[in-house]
Amino acid sequence: MADAIETIASHLHPTPSWDLADHPVPTGREEIWRFTPMKEFGGLLAEQEQATSLDWSGTFPEGVTVTGISAEQAQELAVEAPVDRVSALAAKQATHNTRIDIPADAVIDEPIVFVGKGEGGEARDRVLVTVGNFAKVTIVLRYEGAASYSEKTDLVVGDGAEVNFVTVQDWDDEAVHGGQRSVMVGRDARVKMVTCSLGGKAIRLQEDVRYAGPGGELEQYGLYFVDGGQHIQHRIFVDHNAPHTKSNVDYRGALQGEGAHSVWIGDVLIRKVAEAIETYESNKNLVLTDGCRADSVPNLEIETGEIAGAGHSSTTGRFDDNHLFYLMSRGISEAEARRLVVHGFFVDIVRRIGVPVVEERLMAAVEKELAIVDAPQTQTQTQAAGV
């Protein structure tokens, strides 16, 4: 499948390639690496002789198959080739190539939860999820433990299918995670993606979406909570390469602690053939303490004027003083008022996940994060780029 995809026209994205030589070690000055703390990702950018896999576990309903496939099979079925060195090394050096296949017309009511746990050291995986035509399924991938981890993950969604794809980065504090997730939305298919990044020392994820035909719809949501000294980066690319397609992207993050750094890069490419499409992307950052930095860069690249609608927005700021005043004027303490505001900020994303156990886990994680810092807010250093 990857070989059939036309070359990316966006100036913000390098040409995908399976050849590691096409992905030299970056210096940090390249456009796609300039926000990245290169020191933290040094291990993921180097070839490793003894890279392993995460310890994966999960329960799968009847009809769903989980098999090991060859590297050649994984490459043939993939949505696209790697777009950076981290994902190229994951594809080349993964010790396991795992395929999860949901058959056509299957209707699976309970979420499929697949957990990867790191035990330290270097780990690299390739995971391929294929969903047959007109199937309905919720898939949750959760990452936990400690590792220096890279991935190449592909989700291929058949025509008319409905897929809820949730990933939760719930790492220990010392973990580093990088990689690429690529999604193909089938004709008239509906895909909801939810990405939640809470733990780890540094996370950098490239998330690409494209369409196999007209009528495909994408809802893409993200949630992240960044603590002091932590780096979390989400790079979104929605390629409207077919007419009458839709996308709605909404990522929200909170930052607290000295050196907390979030990066959100959102790019939507509307190709010349993509007439009558609708798209909107949004990123909101809530800064809770001094010493944080939020980089937010939304982009629209439009090659046709025959579209139904396109827009983007980005906001970065502290608590709304009016909200705090309203709550505190009714006898609520400042700490509790701050907690309620953060809950309201995130709950609109969390409620869209559609998996109660995941929703409860995430709100509990937000509560835990809020307990770390409980101090009056002052002027905060932030940086935001874009519209």
Side-chain angles (χ1 to χ4, degrees), residues 11 55 61-62 79 99-100 118 126 131-132 140 143 196 206-207 243 276 283 327 345-348 356 370-371:
H11 75 283
D55 183 14
E62 185 178 356
V79 173
R99 179 182 180 183
I100 303 172
R126 290 176 76 175
V131 180
V140 180
Y143 303 85
C196 306
Q206 178 70 49
E207 301 171 271
N283 177 227
L327 293 169
F345 180 72
F346 281 132
V347 74
D348 193 40
L370 286 172

Side-chain angles (χ1 to χ4, degrees), residues 174-197:
E174 65 271 26
V176 177
H177 181 181
Q180 174 182 341
R181 296 165 179 176
S182 303
V183 179
M184 178 67 77
V185 181
R187 186 185 184 101
D188 296 322
R190 299 181 64 185
V191 175
K192 179 167 64 175
M193 294 178 63
V194 183
T195 303
C196 306
S197 296

Side-chain angles (χ1 to χ4, degrees), residues 54-57 114-118 125 141-145 171:
L54 297 182
D55 183 14
W56 289 96
S57 61
F114 201 33
V115 181
K117 186 172 184 179
D125 282 320
L141 300 183
R142 192 168 76 241
Y143 303 85
E144 57 185 40
W171 294 103

